[in-house]
Amino acid sequence: MHYRRRRAARGLGVALAAGLLALGTLAPAAAATAPARIILVSHCPNTVQQGQASGCVTELQTLLNAHGASLTVDGDFGSATTTAVKAYQTSQGLTSDGLVGPATKSALYYEDPSVPIDLRSLRCPVQLETDENDGCVTELQNKLNSNGAGLTVDHDLGAATVTAVRNYQTSHGLTATGLVDPPTKAELYGDAAPQQPADLGSGRYAAVVSYAQQATGQNIQYVWGGGHEDGAFSFGPSIGICDDYGGSIQPCPADKEVGLDCSGFTRWLYWRAGAGDIGQTTRDQVVNPKLAQVSAAGAIPGDLVYFGGSASTVHHVGVYIGNGLMINASHTGTYVRQDTVASHSDLLGYYHVTGVTSAALADSLAGPAPHEAG
């Protein structure tokens, strides 16, 4: 069974292809609500049920709302949540007992690949990949067919679809790469051609904090290797990789999921603020001459905070937002979220992204370094 973790529909229709993806702002959750935790894996009970209160319940309520419920997402499994679970189970032909066991969990995450998904949303990778099989490909095939491709709509990005993409790109004055990248998406939807974000100068730090805060409300999951596609407009959520994966969730889910790893997240934010490419991996970033280490007392919101024993062993990065807090893509099984800097014991230091010249921006578009997940 193919599934992709659902993201609740929260106004994600603005295109990455437009250069600056304006994510919808959300009302902040109550302070006591536990951060969502993916319920398919071992940190959640085998059966999630009434009386429990945890991030597993937060996730459950979010998923139920994505399926049409209208629950208050408070992380507390009460009678309203039980009613919503029973209604969902009935709609899916499952035993309507209000107990969220393996069958109900799998159904909640399953997405029918025949249902089209807007290519510009965060539910689709910034650049669709060969052999991808999901609703994003269904949407692509429908769009290509509306331009005369004559494809069988089978939600599989195989050789015939790649050929149709190349033909479409050639006929519309695009480089015929066969890659469904933001310029191709923009052309398919009749959107304006994507532009490189302008450097926001001293305003980049506040913008990075704003973008990071917006991302915490979008259920963007941590994916090993996510956010490291090639190309001038390739920044943002992508399907990950399983090379060198060492996460606790086995088998590795990364090559079937869309999201960001820690360095892919910070790379995306600073690109959106016009800083170009600050580096693909934590090791690339921490030695980038665009970054200068500052003291904890001198750090400002928008600076980056790195963890590890040294620059050669750095393994994690987050965006400092002040008051000892950071926003980060933490690890497999979590979403982009707010944590304390002190939640990691091996602080390497705070780093400030310095001014970006047009030459530096041009250099950053020449192509990323060899891939390594942060």
Side-chain angles (χ1 to χ4, degrees):
M1 177 176 66
H2 173 84
Y3 72 87
R4 176 162 292 161
R5 292 170 189 161
R6 284 190 181 273
R7 293 170 178 79
R10 297 179 180 179
L12 301 185
V14 183
L16 271 170
L20 291 176
L21 176 59
L23 303 178
T25 56
L26 303 173
T33 302
R37 305 195 74 188
I38 293 166
I39 59 176
L40 288 172
V41 292
S42 59
H43 55 226
C44 289
N46 187 59
T47 300
V48 183
Q49 57 189 301
Q50 187 165 334
Q52 296 174 358
S54 68
C56 306
V57 180
T58 302
E59 171 83 341
L60 169 64
Q61 292 168 329
T62 300
L63 289 167
L64 289 168
N65 283 347
H67 285 279
S70 299
L71 295 168
T72 298
V73 179
D74 58 7
D76 187 358
F77 199 135
S79 59
T81 301
T82 297
T83 298
V85 169
K86 288 180 177 179
Y88 173 74
Q89 290 170 326
T90 298
S91 73
Q92 299 296 308
L94 300 168
T95 301
S96 182
D97 57 9
L99 303 175
V100 185
T104 302
K105 290 178 182 180
S106 294
L108 282 164
Y109 282 107
Y110 178 74
E111 288 190 340
D112 184 348
S114 67
V115 177
I117 301 173
D118 191 309
L119 296 172
R120 301 164 296 180
S121 77
L122 290 182
R123 295 169 64 195
C124 294
V126 63
Q127 181 171 283
L128 273 64
E129 299 183 7
T130 302
D131 297 328
E132 185 172 342
N133 188 313
D134 56 22
C136 305
V137 181
T138 299
E139 172 81 346
L140 169 66
Q141 291 170 331
N142 287 336
K143 286 287 187 182
L144 292 170
N145 283 347
S146 69
N147 283 274
L151 293 167
T152 298
V153 180
D154 58 3
H155 46 79
D156 183 7
L157 212 171
T161 303
V162 171
T163 297
V165 170
R166 288 197 180 101
N167 291 339
Y168 176 83
Q169 289 169 327
T170 298
S171 66
H172 287 76
L174 301 168
T175 303
T177 61
L179 300 174
V180 187
D181 54 9
T184 302
K185 293 178 185 180
E187 188 69 24
L188 283 166
Y189 285 95
D191 294 338
Q195 302 295 319
Q196 288 296 328
D199 183 15
L200 299 180
S202 61
R204 73 172 71 94
Y205 312 106
V208 163
V209 170
S210 177
Y211 299 150
Q213 290 172 330
Q214 291 167 4
T216 62
Q218 303 298 333
N219 284 9
I220 301 172
Q221 61 189 333
Y222 178 100
V223 170
W224 179 258
H228 299 288
E229 295 293 339
D230 296 344
F233 295 96
S234 62
F235 302 82
S238 70
I239 294 176
I241 60 171
C242 284
D243 296 348
D244 300 320
Y245 172 78
S248 61
I249 298 175
Q250 299 292 340
C252 168
D255 60 357
K256 299 178 180 65
E257 302 295 340
V258 176
L260 297 162
D261 65 17
C262 64
S263 56
F265 177 57
T266 54
R267 181 180 185 237
W268 180 44
L269 298 178
Y270 264 95
W271 176 77
R272 292 179 64 195
D277 192 350
I278 64 170
Q280 280 203 319
T281 73
T282 50
R283 294 182 187 181
D284 292 337
Q285 291 179 7
V286 81
V287 299
N288 188 325
K290 295 179 185 177
L291 273 66
Q293 188 168 6
V294 297
S295 67
I300 64 171
D303 285 346
L304 300 176
V305 55
Y306 290 88
F307 301 88
S310 68
S312 62
T313 60
V314 62
H315 63 86
H316 188 60
V317 60
V319 175
Y320 180 60
I321 61 171
N323 299 317
L325 301 173
M326 66 177 180
I327 294 174
N328 65 149
S330 180
H331 58 276
T332 303
T334 64
Y335 298 116
V336 170
R337 68 188 190 186
Q338 179 177 293
D339 286 322
T340 63
V341 174
S343 64
H344 287 66
S345 61
D346 56 349
L347 174 66
L348 178 63
Y350 296 81
Y351 288 74
H352 184 74
V353 178
T354 57
V356 181
T357 65
S358 57
L361 179 58
D363 288 343
S364 76
L365 301 178
H371 189 113
E372 175 189 339

